[in-house]
Amino acid sequence: MTTPSSKAQGGGVPAATPDKPPATTPDKPPATAPDSASAPAPDEAPDVAPALDPRRWLILAVASAAQFLAVLDMIAVNIAFPAIGADFSSASTAELSWVLNAYTIVLAALLVPAGRLADAIGGRRSFLTGIALFGLASLACGAAPGLGTLIAARVAQGVAAAVLVPTSLSLALPAFPRRERATAVGVWTAVSAVAASSGPVAGGLLAASDWRWIFLINPPVVLVAWVAGLRLLPRTGPVPGGRRRLDPLGTLLVLLGTGAVTTACVEAADWGYGAPATLGFLATGLVVGALAVAHVRRHPDPVVDPGLFRTRAFTAAALGLLSYFLAYAASLLAATLLFTGAWGWSPARAGLAVTPGRWPSWWCRCCRGGSYGRWGSGPRPSSAGCASRPGRCGGCFSRAATAPTTPWGSCPDWCSPGSARGSTSR
C-alpha cells in the first residue's frame, strides 16, 4: 500500500519503497540480438535467383517470327516489282510504286501510336490482333484482282506491321533474366537482319513462279505464330501510366503530308515536273507538314516529341538515317529494274545479285568495335560510311549497258554500300 506522503512525492507518481524492491526474473536471461550466423537480417538475406521461364526461347521465337515477316515483306516485294507490273500492265511505274510506298509510309507513321495503344490495352492482345490482321492482309494481297485492291491490302499490312514491331520485343524480354537480355536482343536483331538479307532471294525465287506467293506464304506462318502466341505469350494488362493520348490528328497530319509529297515525287515524271497536279500535291504536302509541326509543338502528348530535336546528336542521327534509307530504298528498286529490264535477268537472278551487299555489312558490324573505341560513334565512322553510299550507283548504273555474265559480277558495286551499312548502323 502507498501512503499519502508517497503520493505527494513526484506529483502523484508512486515512489519505490526500500522494503519492496522491483521484481526480477533470474531464470529468464535478458533478450539479446539474434546471432547473425543463425538468423540473418532481412536486408542481408542471401540473393536467390528467380526461377527461369523454360519457355522463354519459344516466346522469343514467336516474337522474332512476327518481326521476320514485317521486314521480309518490306524487302521481297522490291524484287517482285517487275512481275507485279507484268500482271498489271496498264499501270504506270509510278502507280505500281504505291505497292511499296503504301506499306512503308503507313508503317512509319503508325509505329508510335501503335506502341501507345499496346501500352493502353496490353501487349499480348495488341500482338495477337496485329499478327491476325497481317495474315488476313497477306491473303488479300495474294488474291488481289486489281492494283487498287493490292495497294489497299498493303495499307492494311502496314497497319498490322506497325502493331507488331513495337510489341514483339517488349513481350519477349520480361521472360529473360537480366544477364540473358542482351543475348535475346541480339537474336531478335539478327532475325531482322536475316529477313532483310534473305528478302531479295526469297522474293526472286517466289516471283519466278508467281509474285502472289510472296504474300500467300505468310498466312501459314501467321497461323502457327498466332496459336503459339496464344499459348505461350504472358498475359499482360495495361502498362501503369500507359494510357497516354494517341494524338489521332497528329498521326493523320503526318500521313497526309508524307503521302502528298510522295505522290508529287513519284508522279512527277508522268504528270510533268511543272504540272499543276505535281505542284499542287507538293504544296499540299508542305502545308500539311507545317501544320503537323505546329500541332506537335502545342499538343501535350504529341505523336512526335519535338523536344527530341533540340538535341543536336539526335537531329544529326535522324537526318543521317533518313538520307541513308532514302538512298537504300531507291537504289534497291532501281537495281531491280535495271537487272530485270535492261539486263534481262530473271527475278531469282536479280535477287541473288543484290544479296552480297549484306555480307560486308555483317563483317563490318563484327569488326567495328575497334573503330568505335578509337574514333567513337560520331562523325568520322558515320561520314565514312555515308560517303561510300554513292559507290552503288556509281559502279552499277554507270555501266548499265554492260551486264555481268553472272549475278556475282555486281558484287563489287554492292559491297561498298554494304560496308557503309555496317559502319553506320548500331
Side-chain angles (χ1 to χ4, degrees):
M1 293 180 62
T2 58
T3 62
S5 62
S6 66
K7 285 182 182 180
Q9 296 174 8
V13 178
T17 55
D19 58 339
K20 195 171 183 181
T24 59
T25 54
D27 54 336
K28 282 183 77 176
T32 58
D35 189 3
S36 61
S38 57
D43 55 340
E44 296 177 0
D47 235 351
V48 179
L52 294 178
D53 189 344
R55 307 174 305 167
R56 62 191 185 280
W57 294 109
L58 294 176
I59 295 174
L60 180 62
V62 173
S64 300
Q67 177 72 5
F68 183 90
L69 291 176
V71 175
L72 183 70
D73 270 30
M74 189 188 310
I75 304 296
V77 180
N78 282 273
I79 302 299
F81 190 83
I84 297 174
D87 262 16
F88 305 116
S89 55
S90 61
S92 65
T93 302
E95 293 171 339
L96 288 170
S97 68
W98 283 104
V99 176
L100 309 174
N101 297 331
Y103 182 85
T104 52
I105 290 175
V106 172
L107 170 61
L110 296 184
L111 272 176
V112 174
R116 292 184 182 179
L117 182 64
D119 288 344
I121 68 174
R124 182 177 183 269
R125 182 185 301 176
S126 181
F127 179 89
L128 293 176
T129 303
I131 200 167
L133 177 60
F134 193 90
L136 293 175
S138 298
L139 277 175
C141 288
L147 183 60
T149 308
L150 177 59
I151 293 174
R154 286 286 283 173
V155 170
Q157 263 196 327
V159 174
V163 175
L164 289 176
V165 170
T167 57
S168 58
L169 188 61
S170 64
L171 283 171
L173 278 185
F176 287 83
R178 187 177 298 275
R179 67 178 181 275
E180 291 183 353
R181 288 184 179 177
T183 303
V185 173
V187 170
W188 186 83
T189 307
V191 168
S192 302
V194 169
S197 303
S198 60
V201 178
L205 293 175
L206 292 171
S209 172
D210 192 335
W211 62 266
R212 297 178 186 273
W213 282 112
I214 294 177
F215 303 107
L216 295 178
I217 202 174
N218 292 337
V221 180
V222 165
L223 181 61
V224 172
W226 190 87
V227 173
L230 194 64
R231 296 175 60 89
L232 295 172
L233 294 179
R235 296 185 179 275
T236 57
V239 175
R243 292 191 176 276
R244 302 169 63 188
R245 298 185 183 183
L246 295 180
D247 190 14
L249 178 58
T251 304
L252 182 62
L253 290 174
V254 171
L255 276 172
L256 291 178
T258 308
V261 172
T262 304
T263 302
C265 293
V266 300
E267 298 287 354
D270 292 338
W271 293 346
Y273 291 97
T278 303
L279 297 178
F281 270 96
L282 182 60
T284 301
L286 295 178
V287 170
V288 173
L291 291 176
V293 172
H295 170 80
V296 299
R297 294 183 67 179
R298 294 194 308 266
H299 198 275
D301 202 2
V303 62
V304 178
D305 185 2
L308 294 172
F309 293 94
R310 298 190 186 101
T311 305
R312 293 178 59 186
F314 178 85
T315 303
L319 291 175
L321 286 175
L322 175 65
S323 304
Y324 173 85
F325 282 108
L326 280 175
Y328 172 72
S331 58
L332 179 60
L333 178 58
T336 301
L337 296 176
L338 172 66
F339 294 161
T340 58
W343 292 358
W345 287 0
S346 66
R349 191 177 185 185
L352 288 172
V354 300
T355 301
R358 289 285 173 175
W359 299 344
S361 172
W362 293 340
W363 184 81
C364 286
R365 288 181 183 185
C366 295
C367 301
R368 67 186 176 183
S371 65
Y372 281 149
R374 182 178 178 183
W375 294 333
S377 57
R380 278 190 281 185
S382 301
S383 300
C386 291
S388 63
R389 165 58 62 182
R392 177 177 299 180
C393 297
C396 197
F397 301 121
S398 63
R399 53 183 180 86
T402 307
T405 56
T406 66
W408 315 117
S410 62
C411 280
D413 305 322
W414 289 84
C415 285
S416 173
S419 304
R421 186 183 305 112
S423 301
T424 55
S425 59
R426 298 199 63 169

